[in-house]
Structures are given as C-alpha cells and as structure tokens.
Amino acid sequence: MGLPLVGETFGFFAPHKSFSIGNFLQEHRSRYGKVFKSYLFGSPTIVSCDLELNTFVLQNEDRLFQSSYPKPVRDILGKHSLMLVTGDLHKKFRSIEISLINEFKCKPDFLRYVDKLCVSLMKSWRGNQLVLFSKEAKQFSFNLMLMNLLDMEPGEPQGLQLLEDFLTFMKGFVSIPINLPWTPYAKAVKARTRISSTLKQVLKDRENRKDVEVVGPAKGDPFDEILLKGHLSDAEKVSILLDLLLAGYETTSGLLSLLVYFLAQSPRALQKLKDEHSALRRMKKKGEPLNWEDYKKMEFTIMVINETVRCGNLVKFVHREAIKDVEFKGYHIPAGWKILPILSAVHLDPSLHENPSEFNPWRWTDPATSKKVIPFGGGLRICPGSEVAKLEAAFFLHHLVLNYRWTMKEDDYPMLYPYMEFQRGLLIDLEAETSQF
C-alpha cells in the first residue's frame, strides 16, 4: 500500500510514454495481476487493468459506483463540473451539454466553419518549413470551440487570454496538489478563477445583446435557447461552458497531435489515407467545402482515428468510488473504496490486441476491436463530444494529407503526466505537395 499518507501516489504519477502503461503499472500488474489494491490520492484504492471490470464499473454508474475525484481536482474544476456531479444533477447537466453539441455538430454552418478554419491553417503554413505542431493544434481546436460556443473570432484578445489560462489550467489539473504559489496546482486554481470571470462576462454580454447579427455556426443561437433559458444559476452556466471548452479543446488538440505523430511513422497508412481523400476530393468542385456526407465516406480515416486514440491514450484513467460492497469475478470491493479503471492498460493489453504497441489501423476491420477499446469512457458518463472530435480530426486530416508531407524534426513522443503532452512540442518539417487540391 506504499508510504504513510501518500501511499504509492508519486509512483503512479511518474510520467511515461502514452503508448506504454509505465513502470508502475507494469511492475504491479506483473506482481499482483490485472486487479490490485493500493493507496492512492489519499484513499485505499482498487486499480483495474481488466477490461471486464472496467466495463462493469463504467456501466454501473449511480447503481454500484459513482464519480469520485480527489479534492484538489474538485477545487480546480468547481463543484458543478459534469465530471463531478452525480445523480439527477448529472443527468440535467449532461442533457444540456448533449443538446448544445447536437445543435451544431451536423449543421452546415458549423461544418463549413471547421472546413474554413482547416484551409486557413494550411495556408498559414505556406513558406514555413518548421512548425511546432502541438501549439498549432491547441490554437486550432480552441478557436473552433470559441467560435461555436462564444461567437469569438480567432485572434480576439479575450479569446487569446482564455487560451493562455487554459494552458495553465491543464498543467495543474492533474498535477500533484501542493498549494504553493509557484506550483502548477496553485497556478491552475488561479487560472480557473480567471476563466470563470471571463465566461461570466461573456454570458452577461450575450444576455445584454439585442438585434445583433450572429455570424458562423451559432446562427439561430441554440446557445440562447438551451443554456440561457435553462433555469440555471450563473455558476452552473459557467461550469457547463468550462466543461465544453475543456473537453473540445483538450480532446481535439491531443488527437490531432497524435495523428501527426503516428502517421509520420506509418508510410503505408499515410498513403492509404491520401488515396481515400484524393478520391473524395475528385468528386467535389474545386474549393467546395466538406459536408456530413463526405465525413461518412471516410472509412479508413475513421479507422486511423480510432487506432490513434487506442495507441495514444488521451485519457489514462478515471476516478470512481464503490457506493456499496461489490463482488465481481471473485474480487471484493468494499463500499467507500476508490476504484481506478485504467483505460490505457486495456488498450495496450497483449491478451486483447495483437502487438498492442504497434500502430495498425487495419486491426479495426475486425468489428470485435471496438468492444475492446474504451477511450471515451462508458455508461452514463461516456464522452458526449467524441463524435465532434472525430469529425474535426477527419476534416483536418483531409486538408493536411492533400497539401503537405511531413517528417519529425526531433526525437519526440507523447508522454502521460498523466495528461498527454509532447515533451518538445512535436516539431515537424513540412513540405508542400506539388499536386494540391
């Protein structure tokens, strides 16, 4: 169970490559099996690297288990975060967030904006050989969320400040909670306060705005219909916006960086991807934006995205707590104990996936693969925006593979801290394709 008070938390937190499970889990799994107990985050904890148990935990939300994040995480996210609330309040907030996502994800205006932003980014790289891709991906995905949720155009001072605060927020979100001024945790708490203040001002401006033409995917303003008239307190509205910004920004930017990383090392997959998107582009007029029907034709692209999520592991684990005593496969989980379903351990389990560390999109031709991968959680808390992240990534790949070739400039790789980040920012050497569409 580790040292007094801290248990084995520091060992569990040790950074490692995201396409591995790390030394801590490797050693403990070898010694104790896929399910073992420890003392983590100040509590006795069950650690599960087992697909069946993880699925069982995720599918029994509010019946046998509930979300239970450590106090430092709650302090940063706020008590109204969708990750933290339970029961009826969780259902209410989740319904509102899903309604907002569904309102814009299939709308032509939203899709045209995603396509337009992709084209704009590709053009901005003309004449540049070296691009720090991780930074570009974060800016791109955050601009998408700002436009769709807050009607902010790229480059607005308020949006730039929000992005800077979000970068600080993410570094402290899953850091060791030492509340001293210079620590990532303390900086994240302050950044969260600034983000909340900015979002409150945005809400106030929207409520005071009258007869102003709305540009972009928010035309028709589902935001006002769903959120501002949803009988929510200001704190609840801010928390919902923060949830959507956090999920949309972090998932999409991380996914884009991982796609560039894995495809740079898989020429065969990259060529197959180029063939698919070249064929799709030949069916469209020059300059014609992509639409929902185009997205549904990107069969290999979706396989690439799914395999990237499996290999790259944007989310390593989630926090749950047993509401009552639970018996499962001979294991006894006492009421009140924490349980950590380790998603990455399932994705990299050699008993479930052949050569699990190998990036192989073709493994997804087997329908059974999807039952052995749980990157977006499951049950009542499955990520509501996963389809939007895939769509944005697919549109981005379309323009990237048709316009550029790229190579890794430095020896870089994705690390879990446990949030996913590239150590050197993923510096790539770009070369424009001669036959651009």
Side-chain angles (χ1 to χ4, degrees), residues 125 127-133 260 264 270 400 403-410 425-433:
W125 291 343
N128 294 334
Q129 273 194 311
L130 297 179
V131 169
L132 199 61
F133 187 82
V260 165
L270 181 56
L400 179 65
N403 285 280
Y404 289 101
R405 296 189 296 272
W406 67 95
T407 54
M408 301 278 293
K409 190 63 177 175
E410 297 180 336
L426 191 57
L427 187 66
I428 59 173
D429 193 348
L430 285 173
E431 183 180 350
E433 287 284 8

Side-chain angles (χ1 to χ4, degrees), residues 77 166 192 195 199 238-247:
L77 288 178
F166 254 88
R192 206 280 187 193
I195 292 169
L199 294 179
V238 166
S239 190
I240 286 174
L241 281 178
L242 182 60
D243 282 341
L244 291 171
L245 283 170
L246 174 61

Side-chain angles (χ1 to χ4, degrees), residues 330-376:
Y331 294 109
H332 174 70
I333 304 174
W337 274 47
K338 310 295 183 182
I339 181 164
L340 300 183
I342 309 294
L343 311 183
S344 59
V346 170
H347 300 161
L348 301 170
D349 188 339
S351 70
L352 298 173
H353 309 282
E354 184 178 358
N355 299 322
S357 296
E358 178 188 351
F359 178 76
N360 176 19
W362 286 271
R363 75 173 78 237
W364 289 85
T365 56
D366 180 2
T369 301
S370 62
K371 298 177 182 179
K372 297 179 285 187
V373 177
I374 45 176
F376 298 105

